Amino acid sequence: MARSESDALLDIGQLLKATRKVKRLTQEQVADMAGISRPRYREIEAGSSAARTTTLINIARALGLELMLIPQAMVPAVDALLRPHDDLDDLPAFVAHPDGDLGA
């Protein structure tokens, strides 16, 4: 079943909020780094408003993330790579750090 646009907006907003909180940044700080107003950032983070691609790229980079487009057929493989692993011997060879830290 296809996901709705509102589901996607909520997912993006939740990711942005979780990342912002882990980095201990305020909405104001992220908005300033991304070059948008705090109310606009708040709408995007809440999932109540769509954002232009360039705005999402700027927000992602402000949070130390990178926006990437991948073929839909590759989503299960990417999800599997991003899932936490219980067995460190079963990690893909290209993971930068087994503890999940990408060195950023």
Side-chain angles (χ1 to χ4, degrees):
M1 182 167 121
R3 293 174 38 80
S4 71
E5 180 179 337
S6 62
D7 288 341
L9 292 176
L10 286 172
D11 287 350
I12 290 168
Q14 289 172 351
L15 173 64
L16 296 176
K17 183 176 183 176
T19 304
R20 177 178 61 78
K21 288 191 173 272
V22 165
K23 293 187 173 282
R24 298 177 185 210
L25 296 170
T26 65
Q27 288 182 338
E28 184 77 34
Q29 290 170 313
V30 175
D32 286 346
M33 289 186 286
I36 60 174
S37 70
R38 181 185 174 275
R40 180 72 180 117
Y41 177 77
R42 184 180 59 239
E43 291 172 356
I44 295 165
E45 189 177 271
S48 62
S49 179
R52 293 185 326 218
T53 305
T54 53
T55 301
L56 285 177
I57 290 169
N58 291 338
I59 293 169
R61 290 186 176 162
L63 292 169
L65 302 171
E66 192 64 39
L67 185 67
M68 297 178 68
L69 298 175
I70 59 169
Q72 288 179 342
M74 297 289 297
V75 170
V78 172
D79 282 343
L81 289 172
L82 296 176
R83 214 172 299 123
H85 296 278
D86 294 331
D87 183 5
L88 291 179
D89 292 333
D90 195 26
L91 288 174
F94 54 85
V95 170
H97 300 281
D99 64 0
D101 181 15
L102 299 177

